[in-house]
Amino acid sequence: MSKYDIIAFDLDGTLSDPAHGLIDGFVYAFKKLGVDYGERESLRRFIGPPLAEEWARAFGFTMERAEYAVELFREYYNVYGWWDNTLYEGIAELLAALKGAGKTVVLSTSKPQDTAEDILKLHKLYGYFDFISGHDYAARLREKKWEVLEYALENLGVDKSEEARASCVLVGDRMYDAEGAAKCGIDSIGVLWGHGSEEELATAGFTHVVKSVGELEEILL
């Protein structure tokens, strides 16, 4: 029997693949701004972390310009991009098994919460989740992974003791997930079917790294 009773999932690159719709949105924003973004495939590196912060670092934007770029991205993504999203094979069955086993299942994503909820509904996953924690885009709250994760844990009544946090785990596909979990004092599982490379996951500090949904299920159940 797994020691994990509360299981938090990242969304992009963990439950579903948003790459095509996201990258189309990135391209739309950069073309509007006249930014030389290089090869389209190179934009995959921006899937996962908070966009404004990453774009400011990558392109030398001021934060004001970076936030404007994100607004342009959302101009496209909120209409055309969010539904261009593919569920990974075996995820629905895994979530059903976790709920059947009495686990508490949580979504913790840096994506705006309303968009995250729409994607869960698109894939008929919404009912598997006991709590959904995403970025409050309007109020500029909970953008970083540790913030959405801590918000979920607090709302579930998980105190900050080592004993309470030992039963919690975050499943994600980028180094930001491992960092966020560590900051919240919980374990983490890196999945290799997402957007983080094997090298990134190996050095990120994940408690476990898995190559398949089957391997993930063995740890969680």
Side-chain angles (χ1 to χ4, degrees):
M1 185 70 176
S2 171
K3 71 173 184 175
Y4 301 122
D5 297 319
I6 297 176
I7 301 163
F9 287 92
D10 171 50
L11 179 56
D12 290 348
T14 301
L15 300 180
S16 67
D17 183 1
H20 196 271
L22 282 175
I23 292 173
D24 279 353
F26 299 163
V27 169
Y28 175 88
F30 295 147
K31 284 185 174 179
K32 284 266 190 176
L33 290 170
V35 172
D36 180 6
Y37 55 83
E39 295 294 324
R40 177 185 167 92
E41 281 302 297
S42 72
L43 300 179
R44 286 181 177 272
R45 70 189 187 277
F46 297 126
I47 299 175
L51 289 178
E53 194 173 295
E54 287 298 302
W55 287 355
R57 181 165 36 244
F59 299 109
F61 293 163
T62 63
M63 280 307 297
E64 183 179 11
R65 184 168 173 79
E67 287 170 0
Y68 177 60
V70 174
E71 291 286 350
L72 290 174
F73 157 73
R74 298 201 185 287
E75 186 176 282
Y76 176 91
Y77 183 78
N78 288 351
V79 178
Y80 304 107
W82 70 269
W83 51 264
D84 193 356
N85 186 292
T86 304
L87 187 67
Y88 290 117
E89 186 175 352
I91 290 297
E93 293 80 2
L94 171 64
L95 293 174
L98 294 175
K99 291 306 298 175
K103 305 291 185 178
T104 298
V105 180
V106 176
L107 187 77
S108 291
T109 176
S110 296
K111 186 182 285 296
Q113 181 150 338
D114 55 352
T115 306
E117 290 177 358
D118 285 342
I119 291 170
L120 293 181
K121 291 171 184 175
L122 174 71
H123 295 304
K124 298 181 173 57
L125 302 179
Y126 190 86
Y128 292 124
F129 288 86
D130 298 285
F131 193 83
I132 297 169
S133 177
H135 173 38
D136 184 338
Y137 184 71
R140 297 294 194 267
L141 295 173
R142 302 190 305 275
E143 188 172 12
K144 297 182 184 300
K145 181 50 61 82
W146 77 266
E147 292 172 325
V148 292
L149 181 56
E150 187 62 43
Y151 180 74
L153 295 174
E154 287 177 357
N155 276 273
L156 291 168
V158 181
D159 66 43
K160 294 186 178 181
S161 68
E162 186 175 341
E163 181 181 7
R165 300 267 160 143
S167 65
C168 307
V169 67
L170 172 68
V171 183
D173 71 311
R174 297 296 309 273
M175 63 183 181
Y176 312 98
D177 298 304
E179 291 168 357
K183 187 159 186 173
C184 292
I186 72 171
D187 284 357
S188 57
I189 303 173
V191 302
L192 285 169
W193 57 78
H195 299 288
S197 67
E198 189 164 0
E199 180 182 6
E200 177 182 325
L201 269 62
T203 59
F206 282 103
T207 312
H208 311 276
V209 175
V210 298
K211 294 182 178 179
S212 69
V213 175
E215 287 183 29
L216 179 59
E217 184 172 330
E218 288 179 9
I219 294 172
L220 297 179
L221 287 175

PDB file of all heavy atoms in Angstrom, residues 14 21 74 77 85 116 135 146:
ATOM      1  N   THR A  14       1.852  16.508 -17.824  1.00  0.00           N
ATOM      2  CA  THR A  14       1.693  15.443 -16.837  1.00  0.00           C
ATOM      3  C   THR A  14       0.405  14.676 -17.080  1.00  0.00           C
ATOM      4  O   THR A  14       0.420  13.453 -17.238  1.00  0.00           O
ATOM      5  CB  THR A  14       1.710  16.017 -15.409  1.00  0.00           C
ATOM      6  OG1 THR A  14       2.949  16.701 -15.194  1.00  0.00           O
ATOM      7  CG2 THR A  14       1.560  14.918 -14.368  1.00  0.00           C
ATOM      8  N   GLY A  21      -1.258  23.808 -29.032  1.00  0.00           N
ATOM      9  CA  GLY A  21      -2.022  25.027 -28.765  1.00  0.00           C
ATOM     10  C   GLY A  21      -1.206  26.093 -28.073  1.00  0.00           C
ATOM     11  O   GLY A  21      -1.334  27.289 -28.373  1.00  0.00           O
ATOM     12  N   ARG A  74      -2.428  35.176 -24.422  1.00  0.00           N
ATOM     13  CA  ARG A  74      -3.755  34.773 -23.967  1.00  0.00           C
ATOM     14  C   ARG A  74      -4.845  35.221 -24.940  1.00  0.00           C
ATOM     15  O   ARG A  74      -5.905  34.591 -25.010  1.00  0.00           O
ATOM     16  CB  ARG A  74      -4.023  35.317 -22.560  1.00  0.00           C
ATOM     17  CG  ARG A  74      -3.045  34.757 -21.545  1.00  0.00           C
ATOM     18  CD  ARG A  74      -3.547  34.848 -20.129  1.00  0.00           C
ATOM     19  NE  ARG A  74      -2.517  34.404 -19.206  1.00  0.00           N
ATOM     20  CZ  ARG A  74      -2.138  33.160 -19.029  1.00  0.00           C
ATOM     21  NH1 ARG A  74      -2.737  32.192 -19.719  1.00  0.00           N
ATOM     22  NH2 ARG A  74      -1.179  32.837 -18.179  1.00  0.00           N
ATOM     23  N   TYR A  77      -4.624  32.154 -27.073  1.00  0.00           N
ATOM     24  CA  TYR A  77      -4.791  30.869 -26.385  1.00  0.00           C
ATOM     25  C   TYR A  77      -6.177  30.702 -25.780  1.00  0.00           C
ATOM     26  O   TYR A  77      -6.760  29.616 -25.832  1.00  0.00           O
ATOM     27  CB  TYR A  77      -3.721  30.724 -25.298  1.00  0.00           C
ATOM     28  CG  TYR A  77      -3.762  29.398 -24.589  1.00  0.00           C
ATOM     29  CD1 TYR A  77      -3.236  28.256 -25.189  1.00  0.00           C
ATOM     30  CD2 TYR A  77      -4.329  29.274 -23.323  1.00  0.00           C
ATOM     31  CE1 TYR A  77      -3.273  27.034 -24.549  1.00  0.00           C
ATOM     32  CE2 TYR A  77      -4.377  28.054 -22.672  1.00  0.00           C
ATOM     33  CZ  TYR A  77      -3.842  26.933 -23.291  1.00  0.00           C
ATOM     34  OH  TYR A  77      -3.901  25.717 -22.661  1.00  0.00           O
ATOM     35  N   ASN A  85      -5.424  20.196 -27.183  1.00  0.00           N
ATOM     36  CA  ASN A  85      -4.831  19.589 -25.989  1.00  0.00           C
ATOM     37  C   ASN A  85      -5.166  18.096 -25.994  1.00  0.00           C
ATOM     38  O   ASN A  85      -6.319  17.735 -26.197  1.00  0.00           O
ATOM     39  CB  ASN A  85      -5.442  20.305 -24.771  1.00  0.00           C
ATOM     40  CG  ASN A  85      -4.848  19.912 -23.459  1.00  0.00           C
ATOM     41  OD1 ASN A  85      -5.015  18.783 -23.018  1.00  0.00           O
ATOM     42  ND2 ASN A  85      -4.204  20.842 -22.801  1.00  0.00           N
ATOM     43  N   ALA A 116      -7.595  25.773 -16.527  1.00  0.00           N
ATOM     44  CA  ALA A 116      -7.309  24.411 -16.061  1.00  0.00           C
ATOM     45  C   ALA A 116      -8.596  23.622 -15.869  1.00  0.00           C
ATOM     46  O   ALA A 116      -8.691  22.453 -16.266  1.00  0.00           O
ATOM     47  CB  ALA A 116      -6.509  24.455 -14.769  1.00  0.00           C
ATOM     48  N   HIS A 135      -3.436  29.226 -10.919  1.00  0.00           N
ATOM     49  CA  HIS A 135      -3.046  30.627 -10.874  1.00  0.00           C
ATOM     50  C   HIS A 135      -4.291  31.513 -10.949  1.00  0.00           C
ATOM     51  O   HIS A 135      -5.133  31.341 -11.833  1.00  0.00           O
ATOM     52  CB  HIS A 135      -2.112  30.900 -12.061  1.00  0.00           C
ATOM     53  CG  HIS A 135      -1.731  32.318 -12.276  1.00  0.00           C
ATOM     54  ND1 HIS A 135      -1.483  33.194 -11.246  1.00  0.00           N
ATOM     55  CD2 HIS A 135      -1.549  33.019 -13.419  1.00  0.00           C
ATOM     56  CE1 HIS A 135      -1.152  34.369 -11.751  1.00  0.00           C
ATOM     57  NE2 HIS A 135      -1.197  34.304 -13.067  1.00  0.00           N
ATOM     58  N   TRP A 146       5.062  26.261  -6.076  1.00  0.00           N
ATOM     59  CA  TRP A 146       4.947  26.061  -4.616  1.00  0.00           C
ATOM     60  C   TRP A 146       3.739  26.810  -4.059  1.00  0.00           C
ATOM     61  O   TRP A 146       3.120  26.344  -3.094  1.00  0.00           O
ATOM     62  CB  TRP A 146       6.233  26.484  -3.904  1.00  0.00           C
ATOM     63  CG  TRP A 146       6.441  27.954  -3.736  1.00  0.00           C
ATOM     64  CD1 TRP A 146       7.147  28.787  -4.560  1.00  0.00           C
ATOM     65  CD2 TRP A 146       5.944  28.781  -2.676  1.00  0.00           C
ATOM     66  NE1 TRP A 146       7.112  30.081  -4.083  1.00  0.00           N
ATOM     67  CE2 TRP A 146       6.379  30.098  -2.932  1.00  0.00           C
ATOM     68  CE3 TRP A 146       5.167  28.534  -1.540  1.00  0.00           C
ATOM     69  CZ2 TRP A 146       6.078  31.167  -2.094  1.00  0.00           C
ATOM     70  CZ3 TRP A 146       4.862  29.596  -0.701  1.00  0.00           C
ATOM     71  CH2 TRP A 146       5.307  30.883  -0.971  1.00  0.00           C
TER      72      TRP A 146
END
